[in-house]
Amino acid sequence: MASHRKSRTPGTRVAGIRTPALATAALTSVALLSQTAEAAPGEDRPSLEEVEKKVGDLYRQAESATEKYNAAKEKTGKQRKRVDTLLDDVAKRTQKLNEARSELGSYAAAQYRTGAGMPDTATFLLAETPQDIFDQRQVLDRMTGRQKAAVDDYVTQQTETMKKRQEATESLRTLTETQGDLKTAKATVQKKLADARELLSKLTAEEKARLAAIEKRKQEEAARKAAELARQQAEQEQAREEAAQQGGGASESSGSTGSTETPPADSSYGTKAEKAIAFARAQIGKPYVWGATGPGSYDCSGLTQAAWKAAGVSLPRTTYDQVNAGTTVPVSQAQPGDLVFFYDDVTHVGIYIGNGMMIHAPKPGTYVREESIYYDGDSAIHSIVRPA
């Protein structure tokens, strides 16, 4: 069965990027899809290919929701740290404010003991805001230097404490919102996966066998295209070597994009890429789990992030950010270590290992594996990005 399959209107490519096509129509209701198993004899039933596509769409939508979940989780974590920092700061500033208030109180007590009537400093202990204090200018004029210094300190501590309390309140409000986004994304992922499982559970044994045959044909075609890309890349490498021996300039790319060939990555990139690929290869066989970043399981962007981290390169958490974390190159010039992104909404990613192949965490119910970058058709490829 196809992973993340999506029908797409052909678009143009510029420097290896496929420009987004018009959005596809909304997914047909899952209730209607269940006709595959529930339709009475003689009624129209969707073809197995249609069911396969709709299940693939559900998985792709689940992965899209997973990336939103990852983004919300990351944002929630950062926001929670900010709230904790602000609350800690508020506590410290409140302590300083209390100390400043205590000092003012000592002046007030001394004035009472000397029979000065209503002490000047007591006026400020009754003030609710810094502005209230500044409004008592005539009182300030009667104060000694030490009293004024105490008032200044009290005003400063009160102002900063109020400011930090306001910031903490706003951060708590933001944290509540991000937690809501996290909950919504999680519910969406779970719903899409449940819908896909329900559709698959309604297939007969014969239909499942036919579905497996469809998938096998797709993978054979994907392998053929990977081999063709490997041949093309080998020819390009040979042309570069011949040009270097003859002292010639850069050759023109023989890729389908028709763009000028991108210079090969330097040796330092190759060293880092080897480490990233070695890490990714060591994860083969571990289960795909949405939202996971290892070490026991991964989702697609969690795997690529962890792989490049092992090479000393920090990548963002989500596919939406990883796609902007490097230099885009044409598909025909992809090199081991490059990131391969899929679909117009950039919701899947794998790490290229050469010869048209990649290592990726495909979808729920599968495991990290090597696979052709054409596993869902060449039109599914969004772009190739060199991250370091």
Side-chain angles (χ1 to χ4, degrees):
M1 184 198 69
S3 304
H4 320 294
R5 185 169 177 81
K6 177 182 178 184
S7 177
R8 294 167 43 170
T9 304
T12 58
R13 289 181 182 270
V14 178
I17 302 179
R18 185 186 176 282
T19 56
L22 295 176
T24 56
L27 184 65
T28 305
S29 168
V30 172
L32 294 178
L33 302 186
S34 62
Q35 292 175 4
T36 299
E38 298 177 349
E43 291 186 8
D44 290 337
R45 290 162 51 113
S47 68
L48 196 59
E49 288 78 5
E50 290 174 329
V51 173
E52 183 260 358
K53 176 187 178 301
K54 289 168 183 175
V55 170
D57 283 343
L58 285 169
Y59 276 130
R60 199 184 69 78
Q61 290 172 29
E63 193 160 36
S64 176
T66 293
E67 290 305 310
K68 292 178 181 178
Y69 170 86
N70 291 339
K73 184 178 180 180
E74 185 176 44
K75 184 177 180 180
T76 298
K78 291 179 179 179
Q79 193 62 30
R80 185 176 287 113
K81 288 181 181 179
R82 174 170 171 75
V83 168
D84 291 343
T85 299
L86 285 171
L87 290 178
D88 184 58
D89 195 6
V90 167
K92 291 178 180 178
R93 291 186 181 280
T94 299
Q95 177 62 31
K96 291 182 179 180
L97 177 62
N98 290 335
E99 292 172 357
R101 182 182 288 112
S102 178
E103 185 176 0
L104 281 181
S106 67
Y107 283 117
Q111 286 177 306
Y112 273 122
R113 287 194 298 271
T114 60
M118 177 63 178
D120 294 336
T121 48
T123 301
F124 301 105
L125 292 175
L126 298 176
E128 295 183 356
T129 67
Q131 187 60 48
D132 292 339
I133 293 177
F134 287 121
D135 288 342
Q136 305 294 329
R137 299 185 186 279
Q138 73 281 6
V139 179
L140 284 169
D141 292 339
R142 297 197 300 268
M143 284 187 168
T144 65
R146 293 182 63 186
Q147 285 177 312
K148 288 182 179 180
V151 170
D152 288 342
D153 183 43
Y154 180 67
V155 171
T156 298
Q157 298 304 329
Q158 188 181 42
T159 301
E160 291 300 318
T161 301
M162 291 178 65
K163 179 181 178 181
K164 291 300 179 180
R165 283 175 179 169
Q166 184 176 2
E167 289 182 17
T169 299
E170 291 298 324
S171 291
L172 282 169
R173 184 179 296 110
T174 301
L175 177 59
T176 300
E177 293 174 353
T178 58
Q179 288 175 328
D181 293 340
L182 187 65
K183 183 178 180 180
T184 298
K186 181 178 180 179
T188 301
V189 174
Q190 293 173 331
K191 178 64 167 58
K192 298 300 181 182
L193 295 181
D195 289 345
R197 286 193 296 268
E198 181 181 1
L199 281 174
L200 291 173
S201 69
K202 293 179 181 297
L203 295 177
T204 66
E206 179 184 357
E207 288 173 327
K208 289 179 180 179
R210 289 169 54 200
L211 203 58
I214 292 174
E215 177 65 14
K216 182 179 179 181
R217 290 195 297 271
K218 284 184 58 180
Q219 294 309 311
E220 289 173 348
E221 176 61 16
R224 185 193 66 76
K225 290 182 177 179
E228 173 60 24
L229 177 60
R231 182 194 62 76
Q232 184 184 72
Q233 291 178 331
E235 291 177 351
Q236 290 178 356
E237 180 62 26
Q238 182 179 359
R240 281 195 292 268
E241 292 177 356
E242 292 176 353
Q245 292 174 357
Q246 297 173 5
S251 61
E252 290 297 310
S253 170
S254 59
S256 59
T257 62
S259 59
T260 301
E261 185 173 353
T262 302
D266 58 31
S267 58
S268 65
Y269 178 79
T271 300
K272 293 175 184 177
E274 287 179 2
K275 292 180 180 179
I277 292 173
F279 179 92
R281 185 165 279 120
Q283 313 314 307
I284 290 176
K286 293 183 178 180
Y288 174 104
V289 174
W290 64 273
T293 57
S297 58
Y298 298 88
D299 63 17
C300 67
S301 56
L303 176 64
T304 52
Q305 182 188 49
W308 270 102
K309 182 179 180 180
V313 176
S314 179
L315 290 181
R317 174 64 182 93
T318 68
T319 55
Y320 311 129
D321 293 325
Q322 287 184 12
V323 75
N324 296 315
T327 303
T328 301
V329 299
V331 175
S332 63
Q333 295 166 31
Q335 294 189 17
D338 293 350
L339 301 179
V340 188
F341 293 92
F342 297 86
Y343 311 112
D344 288 339
D345 51 359
V346 197
T347 52
H348 188 65
V349 63
I351 183 168
Y352 190 65
I353 60 175
N355 296 323
M357 303 293 288
M358 67 178 174
I359 296 174
H360 70 148
K363 63 181 180 180
T366 63
Y367 300 85
V368 176
R369 65 194 185 200
E370 287 188 17
E371 195 162 25
S372 167
I373 65 173
Y374 300 105
Y375 80 111
D376 203 19
D378 55 357
S379 63
I381 298 175
H382 175 273
S383 58
I384 309 290
V385 172
R386 191 157 296 156

